[in-house]
Amino acid sequence: KNEVEQSPQNLTAQEGEFITINCSYSVGISALHWLQQHPGGGIVSLFMLSSGKKKHGRLIATINIQEKHSSLHITASHPRDSAVYICAVTGAGSYQLTFGKGTKLSVIP
Amino acid sequence: GAVVSQHPSRVICKSGTSVKIECRSLDFQATTMFWYRQFPKKSLMLMATSNEGSKATYEQGVEKDKFLINHASLTLSTLTVTSAHPEDSSFYICSARDLAGEAHEQYFGPGTRLTVT
């Protein structure tokens, strides 16, 4: 079974700061997902990666398959980025997600 | 982008009653939908995988007679919590795979908060 570890668990940043959230996993995967969950509970899929790097607006996600590691970066952070960010992976031959415990981000004005 | 809806968004019911939660893919067809449960400040826990036209696959420890899942069409899956008890109070989220989309892409619903009194 894949173990997904995220760090840090909690992160407080000043508005405008560059933020990095890390995710590592223990077993080879088919894809890695970065999800965002706001206090209301709904989940938004930010990225799905199987290699390399993806960028969407101020968000950048990278993955290193050899090192079994992914990072989510937020540039010019804003209070509206405050949320829980969850890393999840799908294993080879499966569509089921294994979730990390999430990183709670608070961006202070 | 692909949209998944859930209904209701919040429900309060009395102990012993049954509650049905709907998960719909609004602009795509989903042969597979997943049902998750989330306890406060915890990560999502997969309850079951719902496949259109066949029986759901339940995760270990999830009672299939208590959490009835029906996936009768390519756009709708339902989760019925039968004889609900206060310990069933939780946040329930579904996700759906787009039949025509990338293999591992999943789209999440907004969730349903169930409170059993």
Side-chain angles (χ1 to χ4, degrees):
Chain A
K1 186 183 173 183
N2 221 332
E3 301 289 333
V4 180
E5 298 286 339
Q6 284 185 239
S7 63
Q9 286 188 331
N10 293 282
L11 180 58
T12 300
Q14 288 291 132
E15 184 174 356
E17 283 186 7
F18 179 84
I19 288 161
T20 297
I21 300 170
N22 296 298
C23 175
S24 61
Y25 51 93
S26 57
V27 180
I29 61 171
S30 298
L32 182 142
H33 305 249
W34 281 103
L35 310 171
Q36 181 192 55
Q37 186 172 31
H38 277 283
I43 289 179
V44 174
S45 180
L46 298 175
F47 294 104
M48 185 183 72
L49 294 165
S50 53
S51 65
K53 175 180 175 178
K54 285 189 177 180
K55 184 176 189 291
H56 185 258
R58 295 181 293 108
L59 302 177
I60 303 166
T62 63
I63 188 168
N64 185 317
I65 297 294
Q66 286 72 33
E67 295 187 3
K68 296 186 177 62
H69 180 269
S70 173
S71 293
L72 175 69
H73 306 285
I74 304 176
T75 61
S77 60
H78 191 276
R80 64 174 174 266
D81 296 327
S82 298
V84 176
Y85 291 84
I86 303 169
C87 171
V89 301
T90 50
S94 171
Y95 298 112
Q96 292 182 359
L97 290 170
T98 301
F99 296 89
K101 292 183 178 178
T103 295
K104 184 175 181 181
L105 171 66
S106 300
V107 181
I108 300 169
Chain B
V3 177
V4 175
S5 71
Q6 277 185 244
H7 177 79
S9 57
R10 292 178 177 271
V11 57
I12 300 172
C13 70
K14 294 193 175 187
S15 193
T17 61
S18 295
V19 174
K20 181 186 284 188
I21 302 170
E22 293 184 348
C23 177
R24 290 183 187 273
S25 57
L26 297 186
D27 50 1
F28 65 97
Q29 293 184 325
T31 50
T32 305
M33 292 182 173
F34 302 92
W35 285 97
Y36 301 92
R37 183 174 180 176
Q38 187 178 34
F39 291 102
K41 300 190 178 182
K42 298 288 185 184
S43 190
L44 286 82
M45 180 190 79
L46 178 66
M47 299 175 66
T49 302
S50 168
N51 297 296
E52 186 266 338
S54 64
K55 289 184 178 180
T57 304
Y58 289 81
E59 294 301 299
Q60 192 172 11
V62 178
E63 298 175 60
K64 56 184 165 186
D65 293 332
K66 180 161 186 66
F67 297 101
L68 299 178
I69 291 173
N70 185 283
H71 193 157
S73 78
L74 286 172
T75 58
L76 173 65
S77 176
T78 60
L79 168 68
T80 302
V81 183
T82 62
S83 187
H85 286 93
E87 57 265 29
D88 299 325
S89 299
S90 191
F91 192 62
Y92 293 88
I93 304 175
C94 71
S95 71
R97 277 190 57 233
D98 185 347
L99 184 63
E102 287 190 67
H104 295 278
E105 190 76 71
Q106 287 188 33
Y107 302 97
F108 287 83
T112 296
R113 188 163 301 283
L114 169 64
T115 304
V116 184
T117 60

